[in-house]
Amino acid sequence: AKADGRNVARFFDPGMQDAADRRAAFEAAMRNGLSLGQFRLFCQPQFDGAGRAVGAEVLVRWQRGEHDLIGPDQFIGFAEESGLILQLGEHVLKESCRALARWHLDPQLGRLKLAVNVSVHQMRDPGFPASVANILDGTGAPPERLYLELTESVFAEDMHEITQRMHELRSHGICFSLDDFGTGYSSLAYLKRFPLSALKIDRSFVRDLGVDPGSASIVEAIIALARNFKLEIVAEGVEYEAQRDFLVDGGCSSMQGYLLGRPMPIDEFEHAYGAAGIG
Ligand code: C2E
Ligand code: CA
Ligand code: CA
Ligand code: CA
């Protein structure tokens, strides 16, 4: 029977029970990780066309052990399904605002914006704006430096509810960026209806610059669109000089990518981009 195991596995899903057990174990591990402070903030720098650092994006990683660092693609989806994203998101926001408050005291870091990814599940939570306001108050972070990155998936939500929530957060001085622009439910109507400050060009378009003429046209069109709507523009996934040159020539206001800087632990980021003294 043992020799048949592989064949059997082809016809049967691993038992429901096993899958449920695995989920329960993963959820327990995540809860434990949250309570132990294992979810660490990494920062990836963003630059303007002249090569000056203008901001950073926070990217979370799960440090499960000294040599065991897990990327968000392996746990954000699960965190969203299980509801743990609310706790994780709050942790990331709190640590991000603590960083902004520290940076405020540094002449270099104090000029940077900090972008934080926010899940649609957080935006669905009626208590979210108040919780963000509390975090801002408690940490003393300058709200105008905080950018919340939303994906186009928010547009599938109750439009009235989401815009109201965004306006409430805007009233505290916080800005919104639309992440992965061009890959989802984009409709130009949303650009007018939602209080956005920035668009992020998805890295799939940047990747194909110089390979696929269609991508160049899309990037040019997005930059023109952003200019008309008076939105800042951030291109992500810049890996080659040719891509950067194309974006700079096209008038892209800022960019991030491995060519310019990799995500790094936040203390390392503070060392690299601060004036000295902190980090
Ligand atoms: P994203 O928001 O689109 O973040 C950009 C991702 O692209 C990051 O992957 C980053 O490390 C990667 N990247 C940056 N530059 C380059 C480049 O030049 N080339 C390539 N190939 N990749 C580049 P990461 O850190 O694995 O994050 C993946 C996704 O996880 C993020 O995509 C974001 O959607 C999500 N995520 C990360 N942190 C959080 C968080 O705190 N909360 C929530 N809700 N989602 C998060
Ligand atoms: Ca993002
Ligand atoms: Ca993105
Ligand atoms: Ca993405």
Side-chain angles (χ1 to χ4, degrees):
K2 204 175 176 195
D4 289 341
R6 215 178 280 143
N7 293 328
V8 170
R10 255 196 286 154
F11 296 101
F12 292 90
D13 265 3
M16 267 283 279
Q17 190 56 48
D18 287 350
D21 284 352
R22 275 200 301 276
R23 303 181 74 78
F26 196 80
E27 183 170 342
M30 267 196 85
R31 276 187 201 287
N32 188 44
L34 275 164
S35 69
L36 293 174
Q38 290 179 345
F39 289 88
R40 297 181 55 199
L41 273 53
F42 277 52
C43 277
Q44 182 175 32
Q46 301 172 329
F47 299 88
D48 67 12
R52 284 180 295 250
V54 291
E57 178 177 8
V58 171
L59 296 157
V60 69
R61 272 106 183 83
W62 183 4
Q63 185 91 55
R64 290 208 298 193
E66 201 187 340
H67 302 291
D68 187 7
L69 191 67
I70 302 180
D73 286 335
Q74 294 187 56
F75 57 81
I76 293 290
F78 179 83
E80 288 181 329
E81 284 169 37
S82 64
L84 280 172
I85 192 71
L86 297 184
Q87 244 178 285
L88 176 61
E90 180 161 1
H91 166 73
V92 169
L93 262 169
K94 203 176 275 174
E95 290 304 317
S96 299
C97 288
R98 284 201 181 117
L100 273 177
R102 272 196 309 277
W103 294 6
H104 195 52
L105 307 171
D106 180 284
Q108 306 289 342
L109 297 168
R111 277 185 265 173
L112 306 184
K113 298 163 182 166
L114 191 59
V116 177
N117 292 286
V118 165
S119 161
V120 65
H121 296 258
Q122 290 170 276
M123 287 302 288
R124 244 181 237 155
D125 172 12
F128 183 60
S131 145
V132 176
N134 259 329
I135 292 173
L136 287 168
D137 266 5
T139 55
E144 67 281 1
R145 302 265 157 207
L146 181 63
Y147 278 61
L148 301 184
E149 292 196 357
L150 304 176
T151 60
E152 291 162 315
S153 61
V154 294
F155 299 152
E157 299 289 311
D158 182 321
M159 166 102 164
H160 177 72
E161 196 180 301
I162 295 292
T163 44
Q164 194 180 311
R165 217 151 275 160
M166 286 174 77
H167 281 293
E168 197 177 336
L169 287 156
R170 284 287 298 133
S171 74
H172 295 290
I174 294 161
C175 293
F176 288 95
S177 310
L178 190 53
D179 206 354
D180 303 343
F181 184 70
T183 59
Y185 299 82
S186 294
S187 153
L188 300 187
Y190 293 128
L191 296 183
K192 207 173 65 184
R193 291 194 193 155
F194 288 83
L196 295 167
S197 301
L199 288 185
K200 292 192 80 171
I201 304 179
D202 189 65
R203 74 168 180 265
S204 58
F205 302 124
V206 173
R207 184 188 54 217
D208 296 341
L209 283 178
V211 181
D212 165 22
S215 282
S217 306
I218 290 171
V219 168
E220 281 168 346
I222 295 175
I223 294 173
L225 192 68
R227 198 170 283 145
N228 281 319
F229 281 92
K230 305 217 166 11
L231 297 168
E232 298 162 48
I233 187 121
V234 184
E236 61 181 22
V238 179
E239 295 183 354
Y240 301 103
E241 276 170 29
Q243 295 167 334
R244 183 193 54 197
D245 295 346
F246 180 94
L247 291 161
V248 173
D249 289 348
C252 179
S253 55
S254 58
M255 55 203 85
Q256 70 186 94
Y258 295 164
L259 173 72
L260 308 159
R262 297 223 167 212
M264 61 191 94
I266 195 162
D267 54 330
E268 222 172 272
F269 181 89
E270 290 173 357
H271 266 303
Y273 293 93
I278 76 163

